[in-house]
Amino acid sequence: AWDAFTAGRLHGITPTPAAYAAMIQACALDDEVERAERVVSDMQSAGIWPPPAACWDNLLFAYASRATALTRLTDQEKFSMRRHNVPTAPASVVDDAVSVLRRMGAEGLAASASTHLGLLRVLAAAGQARRAQAVLAALLHARAPVGE
C-alpha cells in the first residue's frame, strides 16, 4: 500500500482524504505508529486540515496496535530496545493516544463512537482495564437519555 501511495504522489497524483485515511489504517495494521503520525503531518502540509475523523480513528488504532506489539516482546527484545531509549511498556503509548483526542478537540472535532472505541482498545491493549472501564462508564453516562 505504501509503495502505491508513494508512486502515485511521485506521478503528481494528489491523495484524497480517504487515501490518507487508508494509509493510516495500513500503518495501524503493521504497527507503524511513527509512519502514521507522518501521514497526519503530511496532510497538514498538503492543506488537508483538519483530517477527517477516519484518520484520527485509524491513528488511535495504530496506537492500540503498538501497545499490543509491546506486550509480545521477549525479554531480550525489550533489553535491546531499552538500550536505545525506546519505551517497551505497553502503557507508554496511552499518553500519545490521549493526545490524539486532545488534538482533535483543539481542531474543533468531536470524538465519535469509533474514536472512543479506539481509545478503549489502546487502554485494553496497554493493560489498563480499570481506566478503560472508567472511560466507558463516563461515555455511557454522557450518552444516557435524560431521566436515566
Side-chain angles (χ1 to χ4, degrees):
W2 195 258
D3 290 340
F5 184 78
T6 303
R9 291 177 77 181
L10 290 174
H11 286 87
I13 298 171
T14 303
T16 64
Y20 281 110
M23 289 312 304
I24 296 169
Q25 183 178 26
C27 294
L29 294 172
D30 204 25
D31 181 30
E32 294 185 337
V33 173
E34 294 81 10
R35 188 176 258 185
E37 285 282 4
R38 281 196 307 272
V39 172
V40 173
S41 295
D42 287 350
M43 291 181 76
Q44 187 171 17
S45 297
I48 301 172
W49 201 259
C55 292
W56 298 107
D57 297 347
N58 290 341
L59 187 55
L60 284 170
F61 291 134
Y63 281 109
S65 177
R66 172 61 51 88
T68 299
L70 290 173
T71 64
R72 295 183 180 136
L73 293 176
T74 65
D75 289 340
Q76 186 176 8
E77 290 169 325
K78 288 178 186 177
F79 178 76
S80 176
M81 291 174 71
R82 286 184 192 129
R83 286 188 13 218
H84 299 288
N85 295 320
V86 176
T88 59
S92 65
V93 299
V94 171
D95 289 339
D96 293 329
V98 170
S99 78
V100 170
L101 292 175
R102 288 191 183 113
R103 287 161 45 197
M104 285 179 69
E107 295 298 333
L109 300 170
S112 67
S114 183
T115 307
H116 289 121
L117 175 62
L119 178 61
L120 291 171
R121 286 182 64 183
V122 171
L123 293 170
Q128 296 189 8
R130 289 189 191 272
R131 192 168 176 189
Q133 288 173 334
V135 168
L136 182 58
L139 292 171
L140 293 173
H141 178 74
R143 294 177 188 254
V146 176
E148 287 190 29

